Amino acid sequence: MELDVLNDYLINNGYKDYDICEKFTLYYQILIEWNNKFNLTSITSLEDVQTKHFIDSILPNKEIKNFNSICDTGCGAGFPSIPLAILNPNINFTLVDSVNKKITFIEYLKQQLKLDNVTAIHSRVEDFAKINFEKFDACVARALANMPTLVEYTLPLIKNGGSLLAYKGINYAEDLKQCSKILNILNGKIQEIKEYQLTQDETRYVIIIKKTGNCSKKYPRLGNKPRLQPILG
């Protein structure tokens, strides 16, 4: 089985290591095998997984090169952090999810792909943030929550001067309109919005938010409040 679409993308972006391609191939095989039991993703065809999971995850790879520690909040089946970890063995990735079967999958995947730079944690994000306050250089998040909720989940995890990379679709602007208040509370500033052409018909946006100061340990609020009662405006 060849991941031709992914391999072409990697080669065009300077990655020619056979071991990298081999790990992505094994990732696909394990994903499909486990998905038959645990329903990890609705995207399962070889072409779609290559494009909509693997390539989508590594689009902003250049933006994380200066970070030493990255947290993936709500990691699911490992996107975007596992593809990023494969390409960046020198960066430590901590993957957090509240669903135990997903963390079990990540642990197995870590062993099979020999990813020594990956740690998997079973926890709600807000609980995890309370004991890992301002610990990470950056957070990445893909399809986790709307922006006000996501900002409250992640900025308390990020060091002053660090960044949040939020993967969003074409309607990101509407989402951002509700973000100003929580960004101000948590000392976050929209630094840049990167645009990537994922396919001929699909554009992906990565919103980069810079942490410009420390934030109160009151955040994130517990009891699922960031999701149920987001701070809007």
Side-chain angles (χ1 to χ4, degrees):
M1 178 180 60
E2 291 291 337
L3 276 62
D4 295 335
V5 176
L6 175 64
N7 290 343
D8 288 346
Y9 179 88
L10 292 171
I11 290 170
N12 290 336
N13 286 273
Y15 294 95
K16 301 178 182 179
D17 189 339
Y18 174 77
D19 185 54
I20 288 176
C21 299
E22 195 174 47
K23 284 184 177 180
F24 275 108
T25 300
L26 183 55
Y27 190 175
Y28 175 74
Q29 292 170 343
I30 294 171
L31 177 67
I32 298 307
E33 178 187 342
W34 278 62
N35 199 58
N36 291 330
K37 297 179 288 185
F38 294 117
N39 192 27
L40 297 166
T41 176
S42 60
I43 297 171
T44 56
S45 76
L46 180 60
E47 183 173 351
D48 282 348
V49 170
Q50 289 179 83
T51 303
K52 296 181 180 182
H53 279 329
F54 293 161
I55 294 177
D56 182 68
S57 293
I58 62 178
L59 287 172
N61 188 56
K62 293 179 181 178
E63 308 303 321
I64 69 167
K65 291 298 186 180
N66 294 325
F67 300 132
N68 294 315
S69 60
I70 296 177
C71 182
D72 182 348
T73 51
C75 63
F79 308 115
S81 49
I82 293 295
L84 290 171
I86 291 172
L87 295 188
N88 299 278
N90 58 317
I91 299 176
N92 293 314
F93 290 83
T94 300
L95 283 65
V96 182
D97 205 287
S98 62
V99 180
N100 193 47
K101 69 180 180 181
K102 294 177 181 177
I103 293 301
T104 301
F105 169 73
I106 296 297
E107 288 282 9
Y108 180 79
L109 194 63
K110 169 187 173 179
Q111 295 170 7
Q112 297 303 306
L113 272 57
K114 297 180 171 57
L115 296 175
D116 296 332
N117 58 331
V118 167
T119 301
I121 303 290
H122 176 224
S123 174
R124 295 182 66 88
V125 175
E126 55 265 48
D127 295 332
F128 179 76
K130 292 297 184 184
I131 57 175
N132 292 276
F133 187 74
E134 296 185 339
K135 177 179 177 178
F136 297 94
D137 296 329
C139 282
V140 293
R142 181 175 176 262
L144 175 64
N146 61 29
M147 284 301 295
T149 299
L150 181 59
V151 166
E152 184 172 351
Y153 277 152
T154 57
L155 286 194
L157 283 163
I158 300 170
K159 298 175 184 176
N160 185 4
S163 297
L164 162 65
L165 282 74
Y167 292 60
K168 291 291 179 178
I170 196 168
N171 295 321
Y172 74 89
E174 291 298 317
D175 208 4
L176 277 182
K177 287 179 182 178
Q178 301 296 323
C179 243
S180 298
K181 188 172 183 179
I182 190 65
L183 284 174
N184 185 57
I185 290 171
L186 299 179
N187 286 313
K189 182 179 180 180
I190 298 171
Q191 182 179 32
E192 190 175 4
I193 299 173
K194 304 287 289 187
E195 180 178 329
Y196 303 93
Q197 201 63 39
L198 181 60
T199 67
Q200 186 175 355
D201 303 317
E202 189 172 358
T203 305
R204 170 65 85 183
Y205 300 87
V206 176
I207 301 165
I208 302 176
I209 293 176
K210 188 83 169 180
K211 180 90 171 279
T212 59
N214 300 107
C215 59
S216 169
K217 289 187 177 182
K218 293 191 301 182
Y219 300 95
R221 294 166 295 157
L222 298 177
N224 208 22
K225 286 184 179 179
R227 191 180 292 274
L228 297 176
Q229 302 171 24
I231 297 173
L232 305 176

